[in-house]
Every structure is written in structure tokens, then in C-alpha cells.
Amino acid sequence: SIIFHTLSIKNKHLFQQNIFFKEYMMNRYYNFLDYSIEIINNPKLNIDRFSIENLIEECTELSRHSFGSESISQDIIRYHLLETSTTILVRDRLDQVIGFGCCKILKSDKIYIIFMNCIVTSNQHKKKGFHKILMPLRIIEGVKQIKKIDPFVDDTHIFIGGRTQTPIAYRAANQV
């Protein structure tokens, strides 16, 4: 089993080596009664250009409504969705994005960090527990990618990192 540690990255510049999964992987879809989950590894390579622009627009609107801030730009969302190792989308029955989460793999020497970029869920779906799905899925996908890159990595060299401004998100992350 993998040993995970929460890690506050104050010196993030020490871990600037982004690790991207180099091989093309098919996106995976999981359909449930009221929603579906799409896991996209290396989204920059595995989402077509037309879909990227639509997805960025949709996720920007979702983020603005979720955080109550019109100042969230498409450039910020583009960065979170594409400059990552994994993007996970939650869609409703009408195929609208109702939540998403992203993570990237950082490496320094023999230490790997699964850095949690963001989790966003629509206001009407916040209490449905999607963060309890998105958080572990990002960790699992991160570990899979690390093990693919470095099959002999010592499990104690895999850390989880992230940052948040809300105590609710901090508590949720520590419950995983």
C-alpha cells in the first residue's frame, strides 16, 4: 500500500519539474445514474482543440458561479485544465460540467508530489460529495502515473501537496 503524507509546499520553486505522462492514453468514462466521470490523463494531448475551447469556457463559468467571482479568467482555467497530469470532469445527464478537479506530478530528486491544483463543483451540487470522489481519484491517477514513470519508486517518496484558501477545503483534503 502507498503511504501518503500531506505536504505544505512553501518552497514550490524547489519542485518545478513537472512530470507529464508521455504516452497517449484513452480518456476513461464512468457513467452513473445522474452523472458521469471522465478521467483525462495528459489533457493537453488528449483533448481535441475544439473541445478544449468549449471546456475552458464551460469550466470558467462554473468556477465564477461556484466561487462567486467574475474575476476568474479563462487563462487561469486553461492553466488548471491543461498544464496538469490529470483532469477529471463530472458531468450531469445533460452532459454539462458540474465539477472538475486537476492535479499535476512534480518531482525533485527522488521525491514525487501529487500536487492538487483545484476542485470546483457547482453550487447546486456542492453537498453531493463530489469532492470525496475527485480527491481520491486524483491521488489514484497520480500514483498510477508515477508508477508508470518510475516503477521502482519507494512508496514513502510519494507525497500529496496543494493549497487552499478555505478551511472547508482544507478539512476535506485531510479526510482523504
Side-chain angles (χ1 to χ4, degrees):
S1 68
I2 304 291
I3 299 171
F4 293 107
H5 304 276
T6 34
L7 178 66
S8 171
I9 301 178
K10 292 184 179 163
N11 299 318
K12 190 177 169 208
H13 63 279
L14 297 174
F15 298 95
Q16 284 301 312
Q17 182 184 355
N18 290 338
I19 305 296
F20 290 100
F21 204 41
K22 299 230 187 302
E23 67 185 59
Y24 289 92
M25 295 184 64
M26 297 299 295
N27 299 345
R28 294 192 315 277
Y29 300 86
Y30 300 93
N31 293 310
F32 301 94
L33 187 60
D34 293 325
Y35 64 92
S36 64
I37 294 175
E38 180 179 1
I39 299 173
I40 308 164
N41 287 309
N42 201 347
K44 206 177 220 180
L45 295 176
N46 290 314
I47 304 175
D48 67 78
R49 199 145 189 76
F50 176 75
S51 296
I52 285 173
E53 296 309 315
N54 288 336
L55 182 62
I56 289 168
E57 191 173 311
E58 193 173 1
C59 289
T60 300
E61 285 305 309
L62 173 65
S63 299
R64 287 175 179 164
H65 292 301
S66 179
F67 291 109
S69 173
E70 290 297 315
S71 67
I72 296 173
S73 71
Q74 286 190 350
D75 289 339
I76 291 170
I77 299 304
R78 179 185 309 280
Y79 174 79
H80 282 300
L81 290 175
L82 299 179
E83 299 300 324
T84 62
S85 304
T86 303
T87 294
I88 301 172
L89 304 172
V90 180
R91 296 180 182 272
D92 64 12
R93 283 187 274 176
L94 301 173
D95 207 34
Q96 299 296 307
V97 176
I98 58 173
F100 66 95
C102 308
C103 70
K104 63 181 161 185
I105 308 301
L106 304 172
K107 183 181 182 208
S108 179
D109 295 324
K110 294 180 182 180
I111 302 293
Y112 290 90
I113 298 172
I114 302 167
F115 189 80
M116 305 294 175
N117 282 2
C118 64
I119 288 183
V120 178
T121 54
S122 71
N123 290 332
Q124 66 195 59
H125 294 93
K126 279 192 193 282
K127 300 212 185 248
K128 295 196 177 185
F130 286 121
H131 69 280
K132 291 178 182 176
I133 296 170
L134 290 170
M135 184 68 80
L137 273 177
R138 293 185 304 167
I139 294 168
I140 290 166
E141 290 301 315
V143 170
K144 281 182 183 178
Q145 290 180 17
I146 291 167
K147 293 288 189 172
K148 192 92 169 172
I149 294 164
D150 185 355
F152 303 107
V153 64
D154 186 331
D155 293 346
T156 61
H157 291 160
I158 300 174
F159 293 84
I160 299 169
R163 63 186 183 96
T164 184
Q165 297 176 350
T166 66
I168 294 168
Y170 180 79
R171 278 194 305 274
N174 279 324
Q175 290 176 355
V176 173

